């Protein structure tokens, strides 16, 4: 059976060592639970850091830890204290975390941290390599391991790799700030499937890929030179039943068995039955918006004095990253505001904020979710936010109101909550008031929708959907790569072609015989290419036809005196070797006047774009423009031109970063067939990279060898990677012994 690896910075276990006793307790976090169902259906191993400083343990203790981890199917990536400081607290939490959450003021740019991040990612790759026996799938998690997909792919190209980012992916304008941005993007692209919580993060990632690496993107597939990477969003769910059932259990428990917190809340409620409890739970992190939440609560008490006597904010902050400076500062600030608000608004019997700075066992957490009427969750940025979902899932009678920041990924799926801007104190205060006043029926109605969705798209579903998608991404890639021209097939074609008495080669130029340049006039043939084509044409049994969308003058300048047949403007002009240019069929170009002014309008509005004029067509190039603006304008232009061309007997060709308008019915396929009428050809070879070459592949007779350059879909029989591979192959067709 195939094995499956799950990789994350921390293992889903907690290790307690006291003297010679070592205990490993599975942790209850969302990820750990979600992966449980996955690991049950596969034989899976989890690789990550155990959180234990192995250097401080005796050899016996280390052995005990290993054994205990093995029982839980876990493998430790042992990290030194220095690595933890530089890679985890440093690069992960002082660079990536603040930047990806839009806190640029906190971002540190330390080369030492970056070096440690790289080397720990490599360390993870090494541990993975030692555990690869029988493994066919790997799922890597989160921002600590952004370089890992590429490191694993390099070593194990056949293994399917999924990567999920649990935090936001920022817009390109922020991401570009990072000196190591390109390495990070490349690292992530080692995966076959990249998952994000929301479409926005996915969109931001795509935009960075396009701008930094210039790869072509087709909806949610990125075409790398050798692979296709799929990108999608999978909003993470929770173990809904677990929270519902735990909440039901807690209600059924007798007073004696209830948690201390719950007892305290109930006692208070008996004394002040009109009290509304507002719950606030999160790690003490600047992204979670604790300060603005407290200030908004203070503002609420100022603005709505009538509620002062009957609201209590239960503020539960979990200690987090206490070694990082900003977290310490924030802790003092929170302490200070809590003190201030309690000082201003407490009465003899009441304190407006109950503040707990600690972690809590699961049962107590559910008690709080279940008991408090309102949850106030106001992150400044949050990848998803599971607390919001857990609160709703713990409402057994459907009552309760969730106030949620629009900056949390969860807000995208929880529109029935009261959605607020976390920086708008007045809006938050008014939402608190609305929540207090909300009729029960309305609460139940809103929560009915929310609960239904959470129950359906739970953590199991999230994990399964990701894995199904990963499986599909792999199958898709195999489909794309299925046509890849293997060495055996290549040799067979070369043999068959060389054994024939006459053969013809239809060769596209840009992207097929040479790479792309920002400006088409710069892509002139190099000396090696001349040599290669001359050699090919020297064999009297070969006929070389260069068939391109380029204009006649350029080709005349480059190849006019050569022994090759030239076809340009997609088949408007034709020049047999040594003869003059002739038109394949008579055409009219008077339409160009009116169309040129339209294209000029697009050039004015799209910096970097320009018009190329050919005898019988006009081409708008946008390769040098901003990639997103360029493709948006291309869609607009196509829309606009489509309505015009129908009446003018014109058509639009969409090529690689170009839109071409030309006379209808002219294409490379038709032109090639025209040539074949007068030239005998026992064997035909056609090579092209663009979709305009698809006409050629489609129209040539069945016995032609059609070869596409690049990975995208094609009617050609074979695919090769790039123009270098084409040149290598063409050399062999000179058929010299
Ligand atoms: P976090 O930033 O940790 O996760 P969140 O999604 O809210 O944020 O998860 C917190 C978890 O901690 C919840 O499962 C909650 O039950 C638990 N928790 C909170 N307070 C607790 C307490 N006092 N005691 C014990 N447990 C407590 C990151 C991203 C999020 C993303 C998740 C999952 O920052 O945006 O939703 O990963 O992808």
């Amino acid at each position: 059976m195939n094995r499956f690896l799950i990789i994350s910075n921390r293992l889903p276990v907690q290790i307690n060592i006291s003297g010679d006793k070592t205990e490993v307790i599975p942790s209850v976090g969302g990820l750990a639970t979600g992966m449980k169902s996955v690991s049950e259906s596969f034989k899976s191993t989890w690789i990550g850091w155990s959180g234990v400083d192995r250097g401080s343990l005796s050899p016996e203790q280390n052995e005990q830890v290993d054994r205990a981890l093995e029982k839980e199917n876990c493998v430790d990536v042992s990290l030194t204290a220095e690595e933890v400081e530089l890679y985890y607290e440093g690069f992960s939490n002082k660079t990536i975390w603040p930047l990806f959450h839009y806190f640029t003021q906190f971002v540190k740019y330390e080369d030492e941290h970056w070096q440690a991040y790289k080397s720990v990612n490599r360390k993870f790759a090494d541990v993975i390599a030692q555990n690869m026996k029988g493994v066919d799938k790997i799922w890597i998690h989160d921002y600590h391991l952004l370089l890992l997909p590429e490191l694993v792919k390099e070593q194990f190209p056949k293994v399917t790799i999924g990567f999920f980012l649990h935090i936001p992916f920022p817009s390109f304008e922020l991401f570009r700030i990072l000196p190591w941005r390109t390495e990070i993007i490349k690292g992530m692209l080692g995966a076959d499937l990249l998952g994000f919580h929301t479409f926005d993060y996915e969109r931001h990632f795509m935009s960075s890929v396009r701008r930094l690496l210039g790869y072509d993107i087709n909806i949610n597939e990125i075409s790398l030179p050798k692979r296709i990477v799929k990108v999608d969003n999978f909003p993470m769910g929770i173990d809904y039943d677990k929270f519902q059932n735990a909440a039901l259990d807690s209600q059924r428990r007798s007073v004696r068995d209830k948690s201390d917190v719950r007892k305290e809340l109930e006692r208070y409620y008996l004394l002040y039955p009109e009290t509304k409890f507002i719950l606030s739970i999160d790690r003490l992190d600047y992204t979670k918006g604790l300060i603005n939440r407290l200030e908004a609560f203070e503002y609420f008490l100022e603005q709505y004095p009538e509620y002062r006597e009957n609201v209590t904010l239960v503020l539960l902050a979990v200690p987090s990253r206490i070694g990082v400076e900003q977290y310490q500062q924030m802790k003092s600030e929170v302490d200070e505001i809590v003190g201030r608000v309690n000082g201003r608004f407490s009465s003899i019997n009441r304190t407006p904020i109950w503040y707990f700075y600690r972690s809590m066992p699961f049962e107590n957490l559910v008690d709080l979710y279940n008991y408090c009427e309102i949850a106030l969750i106001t992150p400044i940025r949050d990848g998803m936010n599971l607390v919001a979902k857990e609160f709703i899932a713990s409402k057994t009678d459907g009552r309760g109101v969730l106030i949620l920041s629009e900056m949390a990924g969860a807000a995208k799926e929880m529109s029935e909550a009261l959605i607020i801007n976390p920086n708008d104190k007045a809006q938050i205060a008014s939402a608190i008031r609305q929540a207090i006043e909300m009729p029960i029926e309305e609460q139940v109605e809103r929560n009915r929708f929310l609960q239904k969705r959470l129950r359906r798209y739970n953590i199991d579903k999230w994990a399964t959907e990701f894995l199904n998608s990963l499986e599909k991404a792999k199958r898709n890639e195999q489909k794309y790569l299925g046509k890849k021209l293997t060495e055996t097939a290549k040799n067979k074609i070369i043999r068959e072609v060389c054994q024939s008495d006459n053969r013809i080669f239809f060769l596209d130029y840009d992207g097929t015989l040479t790479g792309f340049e920002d400006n088409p006039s710069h892509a002139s043939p190099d000396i090696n290419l001349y040599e290669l084509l001359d050699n090919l044409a020297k064999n009297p049994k070969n006929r070389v036809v260069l068939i391109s969308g380029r204009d006649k003058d350029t080709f005349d300048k480059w190849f006019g005196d050569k022994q090759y047949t030239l076809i340009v403007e997609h088949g408007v002009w034709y020049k047999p070797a040594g003869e003059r240019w002739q038109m394949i069929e008579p055409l009219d170009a008077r339409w160009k006047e009116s169309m040129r002014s339209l294209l000029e309008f697009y050039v004015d509005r799209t910096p970097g774009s320009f018009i190329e004029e050919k005898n019988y067509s006009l081409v708008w190039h946008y390769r040098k423009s901003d990639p997103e603006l360029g493709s948006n304008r291309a869609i607009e232009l196509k829309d606009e031109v489509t309505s015009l061309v129908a009446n003018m007997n014109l058509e639009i060709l969409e090529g690689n970063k170009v839109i071409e308008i030309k006379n209808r019915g002219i294409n490379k396929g038709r032109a090639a067939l025209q040539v074949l009428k007068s030239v005998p050809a026992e064997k035909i070879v056609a090579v092209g990279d663009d979709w305009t070459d698809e006409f050629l592949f489609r129209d040539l007779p069945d016995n032609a060898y059609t070869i596409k350059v690049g990975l995208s879909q094609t009617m050609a029989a074979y695919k090769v990677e790039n123009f270098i591979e084409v040149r290598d192959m063409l050399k062999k067709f000179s058929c010299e012994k």
Side-chain angles (χ1 to χ4, degrees):
M1 186 182 179
N2 288 330
R3 274 175 70 228
F4 173 57
L5 297 183
I6 302 165
I7 326 286
S8 64
N9 171 53
R10 279 296 293 268
L11 285 171
V13 289
Q14 220 183 307
I15 301 180
N16 299 329
I17 305 166
S18 62
D20 57 356
K21 243 188 99 203
T22 302
E23 202 186 13
V24 173
I25 316 161
S27 58
V28 287
L31 191 58
T33 355
M35 285 301 172
K36 214 160 156 199
S37 60
V38 175
S39 52
E40 278 159 11
S41 43
F42 296 88
K43 212 168 158 284
S44 78
T45 304
W46 199 310
I47 295 178
W49 173 46
S50 63
V52 175
D53 179 6
R54 296 298 202 107
S56 66
L57 302 186
S58 67
E60 294 76 37
Q61 283 175 319
N62 268 320
E63 235 173 76
Q64 276 180 10
V65 171
D66 281 339
R67 268 203 309 274
L69 285 176
E70 203 181 319
K71 263 204 223 144
E72 298 294 328
N73 285 326
C74 287
V75 174
D76 180 25
V77 180
S78 159
L79 299 182
T80 65
E82 196 191 6
E83 281 169 335
V84 173
E85 191 195 322
L86 301 176
Y87 140 82
Y88 177 66
E89 287 179 1
F91 198 77
S92 301
N93 289 336
K94 291 184 183 156
T95 306
I96 304 274
W97 179 269
L99 181 69
F100 282 34
H101 286 89
Y102 294 67
F103 280 80
T104 44
Q105 69 274 33
F106 294 158
V107 179
K108 292 263 181 300
Y109 306 94
E110 301 286 344
D111 191 56
E112 198 188 9
H113 292 178
W114 166 242
Q115 295 306 337
Y117 186 80
K118 281 200 291 188
S119 82
V120 171
N121 270 256
R122 243 178 263 123
K123 205 169 193 182
F124 268 79
D126 293 343
V127 178
I128 292 174
Q130 290 152 18
N131 288 276
M132 277 303 281
K133 197 156 170 246
V135 170
D136 69 335
K137 246 190 239 95
I138 298 186
W139 187 355
I140 302 169
H141 291 266
D142 228 0
Y143 65 102
H144 319 86
L145 302 171
L146 296 173
L147 304 177
L148 190 56
E150 188 188 24
L151 294 172
V152 178
K153 195 59 149 191
E154 275 168 5
Q155 245 185 309
F156 302 96
K158 290 221 169 89
V159 166
T160 311
I161 303 172
F163 179 89
F164 189 83
L165 186 68
H166 290 262
I167 64 172
F169 194 92
S171 105
F172 175 66
E173 282 310 316
L174 265 98
F175 185 65
R176 70 188 304 182
I177 295 175
L178 206 58
W180 311 282
R181 58 206 183 175
T182 312
E183 287 96 320
I184 286 181
I185 286 277
K186 281 189 179 160
M188 292 173 78
L189 286 175
D192 300 288
L193 171 67
L194 286 156
F196 298 89
H197 280 305
T198 71
F199 175 64
D200 282 339
Y201 310 154
E202 176 190 340
R203 193 164 59 75
H204 292 156
F205 174 77
M206 293 289 211
S207 151
S208 289
V209 170
R210 214 181 267 133
R211 284 152 197 267
L212 292 172
L213 302 174
Y215 291 145
D216 273 345
I217 293 174
N218 184 8
I219 309 178
N220 61 351
E221 286 180 348
I222 306 172
S223 299
L224 268 59
K226 296 190 181 188
R227 299 188 300 116
I228 302 275
V229 178
K230 176 118 189 271
V231 183
D232 214 336
N233 63 85
F234 304 87
M236 187 170 176
I238 55 164
D239 188 344
Y240 183 89
D241 290 341
K242 190 171 148 204
F243 282 89
Q244 264 283 310
N245 294 336
L248 287 168
D249 275 357
S250 101
Q251 280 174 334
R252 283 196 287 260
R253 238 175 270 143
S254 68
V255 180
R256 217 170 21 140
D257 295 335
K258 286 188 175 165
S259 69
D260 290 348
V261 189
R262 177 76 174 232
K263 277 190 217 156
E264 182 73 7
L265 292 171
E266 287 189 8
R267 199 178 55 76
Y268 196 79
Y269 187 72
L270 283 176
L271 291 174
Y272 308 103
E274 76 292 359
T275 300
K276 298 272 181 194
F277 289 105
I278 304 178
L279 180 64
S280 151
I281 295 194
D282 11 46
R283 282 188 304 101
L284 193 72
D285 193 298
Y286 50 81
T287 61
K288 302 286 181 184
L290 266 90
I291 307 278
N292 48 301
R293 186 177 318 163
L294 285 167
E295 284 174 355
F297 185 64
E298 184 176 30
Y299 182 82
F300 167 78
L301 295 174
E302 280 166 7
Q303 294 298 308
Y304 303 100
E306 64 274 27
Y307 293 105
R308 279 183 201 164
E309 283 303 305
N310 49 15
V311 289
T312 299
L313 176 66
V314 182
L315 180 74
L316 185 65
V318 191
S320 178
R321 302 173 197 169
I322 29 192
V324 179
E325 187 192 329
Q326 283 91 19
Y327 290 72
Q328 293 157 1
Q329 262 172 22
M330 206 190 128
K331 164 86 174 55
S332 330
E333 221 175 316
V334 168
D335 291 352
E336 193 193 309
I337 304 177
V338 170
R340 185 178 73 217
V341 176
N342 279 344
R344 278 183 73 190
F345 297 101
S346 287
S347 60
I348 307 170
N349 303 316
R350 308 177 62 92
T351 315
I353 305 178
W354 295 7
Y355 174 33
F356 304 90
Y357 177 58
R358 59 175 147 111
S359 181
M360 270 200 181
F362 175 71
E363 287 73 22
N364 296 14
L365 200 66
V366 174
D367 266 352
L368 279 177
Y369 285 145
N370 181 249
Y371 199 74
C372 296
E373 286 96 342
I374 300 166
L376 181 59
I377 301 173
T378 59
I380 306 285
R381 286 281 159 183
D382 208 339
M384 173 50 70
N385 194 295
L386 299 180
V387 171
K389 295 186 169 182
E390 293 168 0
F391 171 73
I392 294 293
S394 306
K395 291 298 179 197
T396 46
D397 56 5
R399 295 180 187 193
V401 184
L402 170 64
I403 304 174
L404 178 61
S405 161
E406 64 182 58
M407 305 297 178
K412 294 268 181 285
E413 324 152 58
M414 302 185 89
S415 52
E416 292 81 4
L418 300 182
I419 305 291
I420 49 91
N421 177 336
N423 302 306
D424 188 341
K425 270 200 290 201
Q427 194 193 19
I428 299 177
S430 131
I432 296 177
R433 185 167 174 273
Q434 190 188 346
I436 295 172
E437 297 294 339
M438 189 181 286
I440 306 275
E441 304 75 54
E442 186 182 341
Q443 298 180 19
V444 172
E445 184 60 9
R446 286 174 184 256
N447 290 339
R448 198 162 57 81
F449 286 109
L450 289 170
Q451 291 192 326
K452 194 171 162 212
R453 208 172 300 136
L454 291 178
R455 189 182 298 123
R456 207 180 63 76
Y457 201 95
N458 62 12
I459 183 80
D460 279 354
K461 179 106 171 142
W462 170 77
T464 321
E465 293 233 321
F466 185 91
L467 286 173
N468 287 345
S469 228
L470 184 59
E471 195 57 47
K472 228 160 89 195
K474 194 65 190 175
R475 277 205 305 270
N476 250 351
E477 187 175 276
Q478 278 156 358
K479 198 174 82 198
Y480 281 117
L481 298 180
K483 288 185 168 185
K484 198 164 162 30
L485 186 61
T486 59
E487 269 314 297
T488 327
K490 198 186 290 180
N491 291 335
K492 183 167 172 275
I493 297 174
I494 294 166
R495 214 173 35 247
E496 287 173 4
V497 168
C498 286
Q499 277 164 3
S500 67
D501 283 334
N502 46 54
R503 47 255 176 174
I504 187 161
F505 300 88
F506 290 105
L507 307 174
D508 168 49
Y509 180 74
D510 295 276
T512 300
L513 295 177
T514 182
F516 280 104
E517 291 287 340
D518 282 348
N519 190 324
S521 62
H522 296 163
S524 54
D526 52 278
I527 191 142
N528 294 335
L529 181 61
Y530 280 128
E531 204 176 298
L532 165 72
L533 295 175
D534 286 347
N535 244 343
L536 194 62
K538 209 167 65 192
N539 187 325
K541 293 180 183 171
N542 288 349
R543 179 176 292 252
V544 177
V545 182
L546 298 186
I547 184 162
S548 163
R550 284 210 175 238
D551 66 283
K552 167 163 133 303
D553 296 341
T554 308
F555 257 40
D556 207 32
K557 190 167 82 199
W558 289 346
F559 306 110
D561 56 350
K562 293 288 184 185
Q563 282 309 299
Y564 335 135
T565 299
L566 307 177
I567 297 175
V568 294
E569 293 196 25
H570 302 287
V572 174
W573 295 100
Y574 168 55
K575 179 183 175 303
E579 294 180 28
R580 296 164 75 90
W581 286 101
Q582 59 197 63
M583 271 177 102
I584 293 190
E585 54 194 291
L587 292 171
D588 182 354
R590 277 173 299 183
W591 57 269
K592 283 203 309 190
E593 266 326 293
S594 57
M595 220 38 106
R596 190 181 301 107
S597 56
L598 176 67
L599 291 189
E600 274 161 1
F601 177 63
Y602 276 83
V603 169
D604 292 341
R605 293 194 308 147
T606 320
S609 73
F610 62 92
I611 302 170
E612 181 190 3
E613 180 147 2
K614 303 182 193 170
N615 293 140
Y616 290 91
S617 71
L618 287 175
V619 194
W620 181 66
H621 287 259
Y622 59 94
R623 180 170 298 279
K624 277 199 297 185
S625 307
D626 173 280
E628 267 163 35
L629 179 67
S631 43
N632 285 345
R633 290 275 191 262
I635 295 169
E636 282 175 38
L637 174 64
K638 237 173 60 185
D639 268 3
E640 203 163 334
V641 178
T642 308
S643 55
L644 299 175
V645 294
N647 299 330
M648 298 164 87
N649 204 26
L650 302 175
E651 68 184 356
I652 307 168
L653 276 186
E654 204 181 347
N656 200 322
K657 305 276 190 277
V658 297
I659 298 248
E660 178 153 9
I661 304 162
K662 60 177 198 55
N663 290 67
R664 184 178 295 281
I666 301 296
N667 63 52
K668 291 184 180 178
R670 189 152 144 180
L673 291 183
Q674 204 71 20
V675 174
L676 286 173
K677 274 188 197 160
S678 53
V679 180
E682 201 182 309
K683 293 286 175 203
I684 304 167
V685 178
V687 196
D689 72 305
D690 203 311
W691 85 248
T692 60
D693 297 306
E694 294 297 319
F695 291 107
L696 192 61
F697 303 146
R698 184 194 65 188
D699 293 347
L700 285 174
D702 288 346
N703 66 344
Y705 302 102
T706 49
I707 301 168
K708 159 95 182 171
V709 186
L711 285 179
S712 47
Q713 255 175 329
T714 181
M715 275 187 250
Y718 302 99
K719 288 178 187 178
V720 294
E721 262 170 39
N722 50 32
F723 75 95
I724 298 168
E725 207 179 330
V726 175
R727 287 190 184 192
D728 278 351
M729 185 176 184
L730 286 179
K731 278 184 200 145
K732 315 262 169 54
F733 285 125
S734 50
C735 303
E736 286 157 355
K737 289 276 147 34

